[in-house]
Amino acid sequence: MTFHIDKAPRRLAFVNARLLDPASGLDAVGGLLIAGESIADVGDHLTAASVPPDAMVIDAEGHCLCPGLVDIRVQLREPGEEHKATLASTGEAATAGGVTSMVCLPNTNPVIDDMSVVEFVARRARLLGLTKVYTYGAVTKGLAGETLAEMGLLSEVGAVAFTDGVHAIGNAQVMRQALNYARSFDLIIAQHPEEPSLAEDGDMNAGEVATRLGLSGIPRQAEVIMVERDLRLAELTDGRIHFAHLSTRAAVEAVRAAKARGIRATCDTAPPYFALNENAVGDYRTFAKLSPPLRAEEDRLAVIDGLADGTIDAIASDHAPQSEDAKRLPFGQAAFGGIGLETLLAVSLELYHNGRLPLLDVLRLLTCKPADLLGLPAGRLARGLPADLILFDLERPWRVREYELHSKSKNTPFDYRPVQGRVLLTVVDGRRVYAYDR
């Protein structure tokens, strides 16, 4: 399957596709018609004989057609660290992974605590015309955790939520003020839940593996302590709190109990936390040095249970490009973080292939649920909505090889992992922006 990338939207019809729309529960063979930038029609009544004669027809050959993925946790690196990633390289990696909308953290240089940086990112993304890019605004100026940023102004120019990115907001009074402030815009404060003093100087999950390797450990309690504190503050302020990349059983249980009490709390996790455990660190493998760290097997299983019962609201890639120099160091000195845009779908589909979640439930965590969390116009197959969608082969096996990835940085924790499920085509606003051609 080889396509040229479209420069402008046109009338395009998919036929003979397995239509999957988690928002409506649609799972049927049929077709989808795109006119310009929007979906004009979708359903089992669309066939090669019934689509308009002027439409370009693509025979999906029974493969899955679903909304493009919505990734709510991506580190861009541009502006400021273009040697790790650029908006262009991140956009190419995203489209290759089936991500049509992504929300970037504010930890760029300069920090996204100023309206001009929000506008810069939005302008650059529009010019590139690849995956749509939305931004978080910083909660505190310079991500320093002290003085609140101008969240109202940032919201007016497009910030969809607020976070201090990879830095936890450690000061409880600052978090209380932030929740109060964001409540007036009904926007989320997203927290990196890791108590700073407990995580400081840690390299990996505290436990037997860390002891055997002689590495300093980060106790899992660092996560739940922050989660429980912020749940109390959300209850106090009636603010909306969101916890990013949950990795421990205790934190999942805390959010589950809070939801039952009616606290406005949500959370996400990332593929490393349900597909890997601390043993992936192996023989000081720095690509497996992540933040939060990979946990014990019981935590990994608890995260899967949280995905299955709806406690965890979304799966995000937690894409964190690092340069080769930053990773090719002794484990204790290497940088935290792993890339994930191009493996997001394939690794998440393991939940389906292993019988842990139905297919529509897996896709729901990657499409309409993250879109709804941040109020994005994405994640659904319906008439009149933006034509952001992907065609993928549910069964095609492949092996992750870092040198084949489009991301400028190659620090994937899934290197050489066999996976099943390949994105064949990605469409953004009616334009084909990626096609798998091997």
Side-chain angles (χ1 to χ4, degrees), residues 287-310:
F287 279 14
K289 184 174 181 178
L290 307 177
S291 178
L294 296 172
R295 304 292 187 180
E297 178 66 4
E298 66 172 286
D299 292 306
R300 186 186 75 85
L301 295 175
V303 169
I304 293 175
D305 289 344
L307 290 166
D309 71 10

Side-chain angles (χ1 to χ4, degrees), residues 1-4 14 58-61 63 391-392 396 423-426 432 434-438:
M1 184 180 291
T2 302
F3 294 107
H4 296 291
F14 291 89
I58 295 175
D59 186 345
E61 301 176 349
H63 293 312
L391 183 68
F392 69 94
R396 184 175 297 197
V423 174
L424 303 175
L425 184 67
T426 303
R432 294 168 297 172
Y434 170 80
Y436 178 69
D437 60 1
R438 284 171 282 180

Side-chain angles (χ1 to χ4, degrees), residues 217-234:
I218 301 172
R220 67 184 69 177
Q221 287 81 1
E223 184 168 283
V224 71
I225 285 173
M226 188 63 79
V227 168
E228 290 184 336
R229 186 205 72 173
D230 288 349
L231 288 172
R232 298 287 181 181
L233 293 173

Side-chain angles (χ1 to χ4, degrees), residues 19-27 42 67 360 364 367-368 379-382:
L19 300 171
L20 294 164
D21 181 28
S24 64
L26 174 66
D27 183 353
V42 59
L360 279 181
R364 186 175 292 112
T367 57
C368 57
R380 288 171 165 77
L381 297 183

